Amino acid sequence: MSKRNHTTDVGSIAYANLSDLGAGKEGWLANDPNLLCALDTHSIALSNKFLIFIINWADPDDSGLRTKIRPDLSPIEAEYITAIEWLVFDEIRVIAVGTSRGYMLVFDLNGGLIHRQLVHSGRILKLRARGTKSGMTYESSSSEEVCVVMPGVIARFDGSDIQRMLQKWFQETNSNFWDQKRRDSEDLGNSSRRLPYQLWNVNKYGPCADAAITGVMPPPLMELQVIICLLNSIYPLILCLGSAFIVGQSSQRYYCAVTIGEDAVISAFRLSEDRSRSLVGAILSKVVPAAFSTIASVSKMIWRSESSPTKTEPKPQPFARASPLTCLKDYPRKGEKLTLSPSGTLAAITDSLGRILLLDTQALVVVRLWKGYRDASCVFMEMLVKRDTASSSSAYHVPEKSDYCLCLAIHAPRKGIIEVWQMRTGPRLLTIQCAKGSKILQPSYRFGSSMTSSPYVPLEVFLLNGDSGQLSVLNRSLS
């Protein structure tokens, strides 16, 4: 009986000259902790501390290396690259880079700098682009974002803000003023055009090794009751202004964030878009000054007094409110890596003791545990597990989302295998042998993809063999 193959070769990076990244040595892809990978549908980005290589793996007739980017990093501060991620908006594809000084850089496929912005002082650990559909969250609208993870800090950039910035850049660079193209690109890369974002301090239980915003959650009800009592006890002018403020507060979003680290294996926070300490503090800090501002404006009109405007210097981004929800401390266990499911309702967490925890991010409880997987990496995927229906038996049937089952792929490099488990409590479906110098990868999130109805593109997992340069995809079906 022939051995069943559960992977399909789709491309290769063997033709590209990657000697600057250490290619040619055994295990160069998996053994270097500073080597970063980001996969797109047709390209892959590989990076060390100072260089970024963009390679087209899908075209066998391609010459190999497409772009080599050397970001302008500060030698005085010993700045280096710490994170990379693809940002894909329809026809626009760019590469986002995080540095050890807290800067986020955005480059086009030719290596031109589009945007440069300081997020927060400190090392960027991860850039995570993702979106959640409307049916799985508290709010009716979908949410797309780029999450920036730093030790003890989480930042969130809205996907629509990044898309508008990139569309403006695309229009300017494709205009007829070719002699201004480079200067416009440099202007766009200037930090003067800042993208709006929210910033939260999640350092209550120690610095985090990884974190993620899992989705939108309802606001705290107790604080709303306190605000009503507070407003009923103040004079009518504050009450009038406060009522308008409450309407604005009710439309604000609250996010749930999960962090992992050394002091607390798992911790969760409620993130508020408001930068005040609390909703009660927001009333006192915004409504009361607004009342006095109104009184002052009326007095100025009466006395016809004019004051010269004062220039305000730009201040660093203040932290919004992050309320702790729960934490799990289990010394000496330390959280290492975190992976979210597409809806954000499940998170796979690896720790320093070789365990993998499956966390329900809505109930904030661990629903499953695996042991004996040291240095493991996890990626969620979708597979055609049950295909015994009449519709699926047809040769012309195109699988829909309901035909796929959510699974978790676990890469155990010490065992040299990849296991696929059915979620949440299903059995192990596959065990695949893989080379030691391999990595499992997943294409980056495509902004706006949740809006498309058909054909449905499931979550896939790719396997990159660093020693041979071969890129393979795990088959969607067990047969």
Side-chain angles (χ1 to χ4, degrees), residues 31-100:
N31 297 335
D32 188 357
N34 297 315
L35 188 62
L36 307 173
C37 303
L39 187 67
D40 188 29
T41 52
H42 300 289
S43 304
I44 184 172
L46 299 173
S47 169
N48 60 12
K49 285 187 173 183
F50 308 105
L51 292 173
I52 305 170
F53 293 83
I54 299 178
I55 306 161
N56 188 354
W57 56 263
D59 188 1
D61 298 328
D62 195 273
S63 58
L65 181 64
R66 176 169 184 175
T67 308
K68 180 178 179 180
I69 305 174
R70 185 184 295 271
D72 186 13
L73 306 174
S74 172
I76 301 177
E77 300 290 339
E79 187 179 14
Y80 58 94
I81 300 170
T82 56
I84 58 173
E85 177 69 305
W86 285 99
L87 303 181
V88 183
F89 297 88
D90 296 330
E91 74 281 357
I92 301 178
R93 293 189 304 143
V94 297
I95 188 77
V97 179
T99 74
S100 58

Side-chain angles (χ1 to χ4, degrees), residues 305-369:
S305 61
E306 296 183 359
S307 58
S308 58
T310 57
K311 267 193 174 182
T312 57
E313 296 183 358
K315 297 180 179 179
Q317 176 86 6
F319 288 114
R321 187 191 181 202
S323 305
L325 298 175
T326 186
C327 77
L328 170 63
K329 294 187 177 182
D330 187 15
Y331 182 83
R333 187 192 309 190
K334 303 175 183 179
E336 293 182 343
K337 301 174 186 176
L338 184 149
T339 304
L340 278 181
S341 66
S343 63
T345 56
L346 290 176
I349 299 168
T350 62
D351 64 21
S352 57
L353 300 182
R355 300 174 185 175
I356 301 174
L357 295 81
L358 186 65
L359 176 72
D360 185 322
T361 61
Q362 294 181 330
L364 296 178
V365 294
V366 176
V367 295
R368 195 165 186 176
L369 177 69

